Amino acid sequence: MTKPYPWYYRPLNWLLRGLAHLPLPLLYGMAEVIYFLLAHVLRYRQKVVLQNLRNSFPEKPETEIRQIQKTFYRHFAQMMVETLKLAVLPAAELKRRVWFSNPEVLERHFAQGRTVLGLSSHAGNWEWVLTSGAVWLSAHADGVYKPLSNPFFESFMHQLRTRTGAGLIPMRDTLRDMLQRRGETRVVSLLSDQAAGPEDRPYWTQFLNQDSGFYTSADRLAARFHCPVVYVSIRRLRRGYYQIILTELYDGDSPLPANEFPITEAFVRHLERDIRTFPADYLWTHRRWKHQRPASEVIRTQNPEPRA
């Protein structure tokens, strides 16, 4: 349950909900204004975006880097209005716009009454993935998330994300939730591309030509609760339409090696392939590489191709 927010946020709430009722074509017109402000006036995190792109794609010329940057800002602005539209978007319309191409990858585990971990990322429109999953899938869909510090935006985003029936699990409560609901038929979605700090005991590997630390929750939870794990690929087909492609990373039964993180490594390789294919659709404003790998850590140098 979200905390109540101060009364002076009510006009903002009315404004946002009023804007959400506008047709998507009008909202996309607003997105062009937002794009111009972000990219050319405010230059929102421009240095971070350019540094991330240059470090991730050292082989690309500067002209291509600048074009990816421009396309990213436009996509980012469109995603903002699409997220706002969740406040009123009918479930049937959401299902039409987000296509799960192979839901049977999850459904066969649901038929066995299992909990499945879905590893997603900040690609495409990640806010539409969980909400559409609650519409597409036969089992319940929960998402692990980090609550916002502002009480109004936490309440507003919570309502948007749960409106189609999905549930939310605060990150700090993940293990407790898994223990209390052990054996429940559902999918638990994890945004697994976030930067893990030193206190999180990250798994270090090469990701987009850079030392990168990743949370190891997927491997730990899968080993403890025997959960199958699925990679969730989010691909933008065109403005306002997305395709979800599911790839099984772990069957939930095979032994997992101790003190190794093959599920996380497989996730990284799949995500890297997707980003290289659709570079402008990733969240480049995020300071993904803000942590440095300790000198004592041994880093994996081989980057095998992900299995289909």
Side-chain angles (χ1 to χ4, degrees):
M1 181 179 296
T2 59
K3 297 179 181 179
Y5 54 83
W7 64 268
Y8 48 79
Y9 280 106
R10 291 176 186 171
L12 178 58
N13 182 50
W14 298 333
L15 173 63
L16 292 176
R17 293 189 178 278
L19 291 173
H21 279 87
L22 293 175
L24 267 173
L26 286 180
L27 288 175
Y28 284 130
M30 289 178 49
E32 286 299 299
V33 177
I34 296 172
Y35 154 73
F36 181 79
L37 291 174
L38 292 177
H40 301 291
V41 179
L42 300 175
R43 297 186 178 183
Y44 175 67
R45 295 197 174 185
Q46 186 180 80
K47 291 183 179 180
V48 174
V49 172
L50 285 174
Q51 181 181 19
N52 284 342
L53 288 172
R54 288 165 179 158
N55 291 344
S56 298
F57 306 109
E59 75 284 359
K60 293 185 182 297
E62 184 66 15
T63 53
E64 187 175 354
I65 293 293
R66 293 284 182 171
Q67 183 58 47
I68 294 172
Q69 176 201 31
K70 178 180 177 181
T71 307
F72 158 71
Y73 275 116
R74 177 165 277 116
H75 164 67
F76 186 48
Q78 291 173 0
M79 201 211 84
M80 291 172 67
V81 300
E82 288 172 359
T83 301
L84 177 62
K85 190 65 180 178
L86 278 176
V88 298
L89 192 66
E93 178 69 6
L94 182 63
K95 187 174 182 179
R96 188 176 72 86
R97 289 178 171 274
V98 183
W99 173 45
F100 277 65
S101 61
N102 56 341
E104 64 275 6
V105 173
L106 287 171
E107 295 294 344
R108 64 171 173 259
H109 293 299
F110 295 157
Q112 300 172 3
R114 307 186 78 168
T115 294
V116 184
L117 301 180
L119 306 189
S120 187
S121 67
H122 291 86
N125 187 337
W126 58 91
E127 293 291 355
W128 276 17
V129 175
L130 179 65
T131 50
S132 61
V135 177
W136 266 93
L137 304 173
S138 64
H140 189 68
D142 289 315
V144 175
Y145 82 115
K146 185 176 181 180
L148 301 174
S149 57
N150 182 287
F152 166 72
F153 286 105
E154 167 62 15
S155 175
F156 188 78
M157 291 302 299
H158 192 281
Q159 292 177 42
L160 263 59
R161 290 165 171 166
T162 60
R163 185 171 163 271
T164 59
L168 291 177
I169 306 167
M171 186 184 296
R172 63 180 179 276
D173 297 335
T174 304
L175 180 58
R176 182 189 309 168
D177 182 88
M178 293 288 291
L179 287 168
Q180 292 176 346
R181 301 168 66 184
R182 182 192 292 264
E184 185 174 322
T185 305
R186 60 174 176 156
V187 59
V188 177
S189 176
L190 305 169
L191 281 170
S192 300
D193 62 326
Q194 300 183 68
E199 70 281 0
D200 302 307
R201 296 182 300 167
Y203 167 70
W204 288 92
T205 187
Q206 281 280 299
F207 172 56
L208 294 173
N209 298 299
Q210 298 160 87
D211 288 352
S212 308
F214 286 84
Y215 287 99
T216 58
S217 305
D219 288 86
R220 298 181 189 279
L221 293 174
R224 181 163 183 171
F225 298 99
H226 304 285
C227 297
V229 183
V230 169
Y231 172 70
V232 183
S233 177
I234 313 162
R235 303 186 181 181
R236 180 164 54 95
L237 301 176
R238 61 186 188 277
R239 189 178 68 178
Y241 290 86
Y242 299 88
Q243 179 186 18
I244 305 299
I245 302 174
L246 306 172
T247 304
E248 185 173 291
L249 302 182
Y250 174 60
D251 61 11
D253 298 313
S254 303
L256 287 171
N259 301 318
E260 295 184 26
F261 306 99
I263 296 173
T264 301
E265 177 65 23
F267 164 79
V268 173
R269 303 280 73 84
H270 278 81
L271 175 59
E272 185 175 63
R273 182 183 62 184
D274 280 353
I275 293 173
R276 291 189 181 280
T277 306
F278 308 102
D281 291 352
Y282 193 59
L283 183 62
W284 296 108
T285 54
H286 179 49
R287 294 182 64 234
R288 177 63 187 80
W289 293 276
K290 60 186 176 181
H291 300 299
Q292 298 295 315
R293 176 174 63 96
S296 59
E297 291 285 347
V298 176
I299 191 165
R300 180 170 302 203
T301 57
Q302 294 180 345
N303 294 335
E305 286 295 319
R307 292 181 297 174

